[in-house]
């Protein structure tokens, strides 16, 4: 594995060290900061591939750090929040965190989320674009086109399409789509996925002969690439 550098900003020292140990074991390089302000300075001065960011921190809280980091960097951020604090989670999402984990979490869960984020970065080409057939999603401008024509998507539709594109040719269950595209442990009905898939289809597939989104009965959905 090439060097993949992770910064943990977490004031619970034992927890930070435990995560560090587990990530080291997986081959990641890990630094720790226990103070929010020092953590932010470190992100400014060193290059990281991923930030694990606690919400409640001395110095500067996680939401504020997130907001400030987004002014100068797109580094992936996974926010670690206290149990069940929905409002905090949503706020974090709006300030630019990529994913959430509610404490306490299993280390396997954290590793899985990191793999998703890594995969997301690897799958983009150098122009930061995800493509399938004549559909192009630009990760920087957030512009989506099919056959060169611009398609307007809501944030949720965009996140859902992005999840499908990242996992091109892999069938995802409704639960997986919710977890990845909704970004946190959504408690409601998974039928919401069907509703948003329908919205997406009306925008990207209905007018085209070649349908990109396929339903796999009894399982879920997949975006099919050129070759299977
Ligand atoms: Ca804390």
């Amino acid at each position: 594995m090439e060097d993949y550098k992770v910064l943990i900003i977490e004031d619970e020292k034992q927890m930070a060290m435990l995560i560090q140990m587990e990530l080291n074991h997986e081959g990641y390089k890990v630094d720790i900061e226990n103070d929010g302000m020092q953590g932010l300075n470190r992100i400014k001065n060193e290059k990281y591939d991923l930030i694990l960011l606690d919400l409640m921190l001395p110095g500067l809280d996680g939401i504020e750090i997130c907001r400030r980091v987004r002014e100068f960097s797109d580094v992936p951020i996974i926010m670690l929040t206290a149990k069940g604090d929905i409002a905090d989670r949503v706020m974090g999402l709006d300030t630019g965190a990529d994913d959430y984990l509610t404490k306490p979490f299993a280390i396997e869960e954290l590793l899985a989320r990191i793999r998703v984020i890594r995969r997301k970065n690897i799958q983009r080409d150098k122009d930061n674009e995800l493509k399938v057939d004549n559909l192009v999603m630009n990760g920087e401008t957030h512009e989506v086109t099919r056959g060169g024509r611009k398609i307007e998507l809501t944030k949720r539709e965009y996140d859902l399409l992005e999840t499908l594109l990242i996992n091109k040719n892999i069938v995802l269950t409704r639960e997986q789509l919710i977890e990845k595209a909704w970004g946190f442990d959504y408690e409601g009905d998974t039928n919401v996925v069907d509703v948003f898939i329908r919205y997406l289809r009306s925008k990207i597939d209905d007018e085209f002969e070649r349908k990109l989104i396929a339903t796999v009965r009894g399982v879920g959905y997949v975006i099919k690439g050129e070759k299977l």
Side-chain angles (χ1 to χ4, degrees):
M1 185 196 296
E2 81 281 19
D3 276 357
Y4 190 85
K5 280 182 72 186
V6 180
L7 176 64
I8 303 173
I9 309 177
E10 163 68 83
D11 59 325
E12 288 162 58
K13 294 185 180 169
Q14 254 187 323
M15 180 178 221
M17 281 165 65
L18 183 73
I19 298 172
Q20 180 183 44
M21 203 176 71
E22 296 282 359
L23 293 186
N24 282 341
H25 185 71
E26 296 292 314
Y28 298 115
K29 292 202 157 183
V30 183
D31 293 326
I32 296 175
E33 288 290 349
N34 302 122
D35 175 271
M37 204 62 200
Q38 284 166 21
L40 178 63
N41 286 334
R42 192 121 182 204
I43 300 171
K44 282 180 180 162
N45 296 322
E46 286 179 50
K47 188 180 174 326
Y48 287 99
D49 298 293
L50 174 70
I51 312 296
L52 298 181
L53 181 59
D54 183 28
L55 187 64
M56 300 302 288
L57 286 164
L60 204 61
D61 72 38
I63 288 172
E64 189 55 30
I65 292 173
C66 219
R67 191 177 291 138
R68 294 200 197 174
V69 167
R70 283 293 171 259
E71 288 170 3
F72 65 91
S73 170
D74 286 329
V75 61
I77 297 174
I78 299 179
M79 209 168 243
L80 312 174
T81 71
K83 197 170 195 291
D85 206 335
I86 301 285
D88 283 341
R89 292 186 195 181
V90 173
M91 222 149 99
L93 276 181
D94 291 344
T95 54
D98 295 83
D99 203 354
Y100 273 83
L101 266 182
T102 305
K103 296 193 268 190
F105 51 81
I107 199 75
E108 290 74 22
E109 181 63 25
L110 174 62
L111 295 175
R113 304 285 181 103
I114 294 176
R115 279 195 296 273
V116 169
I117 282 179
R118 294 197 65 185
R119 192 178 165 135
K120 204 163 159 172
N121 288 346
I122 289 166
Q123 293 239 343
R124 290 188 196 286
D125 60 20
K126 62 181 187 327
D127 298 325
N128 201 10
E129 287 179 341
L130 291 166
K131 291 176 191 164
V132 62
D133 195 60
N134 58 350
L135 182 128
V136 181
M137 170 181 277
N138 187 303
E140 261 162 44
T141 61
H142 284 220
E143 192 177 82
V144 177
T145 60
R146 185 156 185 201
R149 207 173 70 227
K150 196 162 187 279
I151 296 166
E152 298 288 347
L153 298 178
T154 64
K155 178 167 187 327
R156 190 68 77 206
E157 290 162 358
Y158 181 95
D159 290 346
L160 187 59
L161 179 60
E162 183 182 45
T163 303
L164 288 165
L165 286 171
I166 288 163
N167 296 282
K168 190 163 73 180
N169 294 331
I170 298 170
V171 180
L172 297 172
T173 64
R174 288 170 182 78
E175 288 76 16
Q176 286 172 323
L177 284 166
I178 283 200
E179 193 196 305
K180 288 170 183 167
W182 270 246
F184 53 92
D185 305 324
Y186 177 80
E187 301 284 344
D189 200 323
T190 57
N191 288 338
V192 70
V193 172
D194 304 309
V195 173
F196 276 88
I197 288 283
R198 205 158 61 231
Y199 294 158
L200 255 187
R201 278 179 163 151
S202 73
K203 293 183 177 181
I204 70 167
D205 267 349
D206 281 4
E207 300 168 43
F208 292 86
E209 196 175 336
R210 173 157 159 38
K211 309 297 181 197
L212 301 178
I213 300 173
T215 306
V216 182
R217 287 193 69 169
V219 187
Y221 297 98
V222 62
I223 258 190
K224 288 188 179 169
E226 295 72 16
K227 285 178 193 144
L228 267 177

